[in-house]
Amino acid sequence: MSNKMWGGRFATGPDAIMEEINASIGFDQRLFRQDIAGSIAHATMLAETGILTQEDRDAIIAGLNEVLAEIEGGSFTFSRALEDIHMNVESKLREKIGDAAGRLHTARSRNDQVATDFKLYVRDTIDTLVVQVHTLQLALVTRAEEEAETIMPGFTHLQSAQPVTFGHHLLAYVEMLGRDAGRLLDARKRLNESPLGSAALAGTPYPIDRHMTAEKLGFDRPTANSLDAVSDRDFILETLAAASICAMHLSRFAEEMVIWSSAQFGFVRLSDKFTTGSSIMPQKRNPDAAELVRAKIGRILGALTSLLVVMKGLPLAYSKDMQEDKEVAFDALDSLSLSLAAMTGMVGDMTANRERMRASASAGFSTATDIADWLVRQLNIPFRDAHHITGQIVALAEQKNCGLEGLTIEDFKFIDQRIDSRIHKVLTVEASVAARQSYGGTAPANVLIQAARWKTELTGV
Ligand code: ARG
């Protein structure tokens, strides 16, 4: 049997393999809400502009609402022969209201229809993701306040660098996530133009009102070029780029959780709810959730890469290649959403081992920079020389197999006569972090100020 929607010039139906490669209903069925909303807006506009009678409009809208209820209720059977969500909905509408259904597609094509549906879907998803990012930020801010005074080692090259506060470390991710939310909202701003009414590629001779449908669907304005409108997928590329950067941040944090929760570090304990055991090693508590969050960037960035490759070299306007946009994008956006939820759970549940963190913070001569700074400030020694003297002090401690705080005043004087007993005050990790009060520095007082600022920003109080 040839196709009902375009069967006029076809003698036979498609080969089974053609149907299989061509159908997108398996994944685009999740666009049903957007598809029906778009059709209702279109039908309403067609009636307002006199292209459709009021009776046909009413029948179409009532029918579409029935289709919506059927899909939501789970009684709708999707047909692969009908290719995609657009034709599944329209075909069901025809079953319900007869010929009037055929008038819905006046002044419209599946090309502008799919672009509209997908934009509406991406817009809704951005809104959900931004809420999720904010929820994770708030969980981090809450923990940062609790851990404002918790001292941990700060690393560069994963070597002990200088002590920092755990609260400061957690707030670093709050900043990253703040930029992520900003990027998603930027993408939302740019995507918010309606392609509907661009028709197949050239526009339409009917006296439609694209501003009206744009407004009904919450778009800021209609797109200004019909060729661009039906062949543009920047909106999903941009969203996937923002999603990839966000997933990269989550991956870095997840990696830290994996390291921190190891027996060797023991900085944090992840809760039973977010770890798994081993079937052979009874002692194990594996950070599976963190590892999976660490890995999700693979498919999210993969989606961005695969879609960029699909789009490159495509001549204007629509080509069926573009149907490949949805499957990877849905998977990527679902993955980011799940990762954000898992991270929020882990952050809220983890316990910090403050003693362990503090002990580790003073390892590796982490207050050496404080000695150099003391030499500069108290003895007016140029920083480069102070760096050299401190290097000799560290070498001596290493030789004596003790920490910097284990050195006596004689030890210090042996390296440089000018040093006096005041030096001991700067050797503790507490003094080190408390001193770092420069704007954006790790001092507990700063952490509390920044946490309060974020709390106000995120909760509005
Ligand atoms: N399922 C198609 C897609 O996802 C809808 C647009 C089809 N347009 C067409 N001219 N065949 O891209």
Side-chain angles (χ1 to χ4, degrees), residues 208-370:
I208 59 170
D209 185 345
R210 294 191 56 214
H211 289 86
M212 187 187 295
T213 44
E215 200 197 314
K216 286 189 189 304
L217 294 169
F219 287 111
D220 296 329
R221 64 192 78 82
T223 51
N225 182 299
S226 60
L227 285 167
D228 176 45
V230 294
S231 62
D232 163 43
R233 290 297 179 273
D234 291 4
F235 60 96
I236 181 62
L237 288 169
E238 210 175 330
T239 305
L240 289 173
S244 297
I245 296 175
C246 182
M248 174 274 288
H249 291 145
L250 297 182
S251 183
R252 293 182 77 173
F253 191 23
E255 163 72 354
E256 295 199 312
M257 283 179 158
V258 170
I259 295 175
W260 293 344
S261 64
S262 68
Q264 287 68 22
F265 269 74
F267 288 0
V268 300
R269 183 180 169 85
L270 300 174
S271 79
D272 288 357
K273 289 193 211 159
F274 288 96
T275 47
T276 62
S278 153
S279 53
I280 174 166
M281 297 166 282
Q283 85 283 9
K284 290 281 254 179
R285 295 177 85 255
N286 292 327
D288 295 40
E291 293 170 270
L292 287 162
V293 170
R294 184 173 61 184
K296 292 290 183 199
I297 171 81
R299 54 214 281 174
I300 298 170
L301 179 58
L304 173 61
T305 313
S306 80
L307 192 50
L308 276 171
V309 176
V310 166
M311 294 304 293
K312 78 161 274 299
L314 279 191
L316 304 187
Y318 179 86
S319 295
K320 197 61 175 257
D321 309 48
M322 291 164 73
Q323 178 168 286
E324 286 289 308
D325 59 0
K326 284 172 281 301
E327 215 171 354
V328 288
F330 291 152
D331 178 74
L333 299 175
D334 289 350
S335 298
L336 182 62
S337 172
L338 185 57
S339 299
L340 286 164
M343 238 15 188
T344 305
M346 282 188 277
V347 167
D349 271 14
M350 70 182 176
T351 11
N353 186 337
R354 293 175 182 164
E355 297 69 41
R356 187 75 182 248
M357 283 184 170
R358 190 200 173 290
S360 175
S362 55
F365 314 107
S366 65
T367 54
T369 317
D370 296 273

Side-chain angles (χ1 to χ4, degrees), residues 22 24 27-28 83-86 109-111 114 233 318-320 322-326:
N22 200 33
S24 55
F27 47 88
D28 69 15
E83 208 180 309
D84 57 24
I85 185 63
H86 325 294
S109 144
R110 270 190 300 156
N111 297 348
V114 72
R233 290 297 179 273
Y318 179 86
S319 295
K320 197 61 175 257
M322 291 164 73
Q323 178 168 286
E324 286 289 308
D325 59 0
K326 284 172 281 301

Side-chain angles (χ1 to χ4, degrees), residues 380-424:
N380 200 24
I381 296 174
F383 185 81
R384 284 293 160 217
D385 300 336
H387 184 286
H388 186 77
I389 296 167
T390 309
Q392 293 175 313
I393 295 171
V394 169
L396 180 62
E398 204 162 30
Q399 195 189 319
K400 293 187 69 179
N401 199 20
C402 67
L404 294 171
E405 66 289 351
L407 293 173
T408 63
I409 190 63
E410 289 72 33
D411 290 332
F412 282 108
K413 284 195 177 294
F414 172 73
I415 301 291
D416 194 302
Q417 268 305 322
R418 292 170 291 180
I419 301 177
D420 60 65
S421 61
R422 288 175 301 169
I423 190 87
H424 278 120

Side-chain angles (χ1 to χ4, degrees), residues 1-6 14 18-20 22-30 32 67 70-71 75-93 95 110 323:
M1 189 188 80
S2 66
N3 188 296
K4 265 197 246 142
M5 303 288 172
W6 61 66
M18 174 61 198
E19 189 178 296
E20 185 172 348
N22 200 33
S24 55
I25 189 63
F27 47 88
D28 69 15
Q29 52 179 269
R30 70 160 89 186
F32 71 91
V67 177
E70 257 185 55
I71 301 178
S75 61
F76 192 100
T77 325
F78 292 102
S79 149
R80 199 175 74 172
L82 288 168
E83 208 180 309
D84 57 24
I85 185 63
H86 325 294
M87 308 231 283
N88 268 270
V89 169
E90 192 183 318
S91 160
K92 179 60 83 175
L93 183 66
E95 266 176 43
R110 270 190 300 156
Q323 178 168 286

